[in-house]
Amino acid sequence: MGSSSSSQKQDNTQGAANTDYSSISEEEWSKRLTDNQFYITRKKGTERAFTGEYWNTKTPGTYHCICCDTPLFE
């Protein structure tokens, strides 16, 4: 399986502050995200345990929300 609802990026949320995410339609979200990302982030779904892209990663960095780029954890 593989796709996670979060992504790892540089800690830079400059562009995210200017976007009104509540105005994006579900149809637009379904175009922007993979099926699995859409199910997890927009439909309150979950991944099967130990199947996500980052489930066992040791890569240092700040992980961000795939939708709004909010930092989730380090």
Side-chain angles (χ1 to χ4, degrees):
M1 248 170 174
S3 192
S4 177
S5 63
S6 62
S7 63
Q8 182 185 22
K9 296 181 183 178
Q10 294 281 335
D11 195 10
N12 180 3
T13 56
Q14 214 170 6
N18 299 332
T19 304
D20 178 15
Y21 294 103
S22 63
S23 67
I24 299 174
S25 70
E26 290 298 300
E27 183 179 348
E28 179 62 27
W29 280 119
S30 69
K31 290 177 187 175
R32 291 182 181 200
L33 303 169
T34 66
D35 289 343
N36 200 34
Q37 291 168 340
F38 180 77
Y39 170 69
I40 293 164
T41 61
R42 307 302 303 169
K43 299 297 181 185
K44 302 179 184 176
T46 59
E47 295 174 310
R48 285 185 32 226
F50 311 110
T51 62
E53 183 177 352
Y54 300 107
W55 83 269
N56 195 28
T57 188
K58 304 289 190 255
T59 307
T62 303
Y63 290 76
H64 296 251
C65 174
I66 193 95
C67 295
C68 67
D69 203 36
T70 299
L72 299 173
F73 56 89
E74 294 183 9

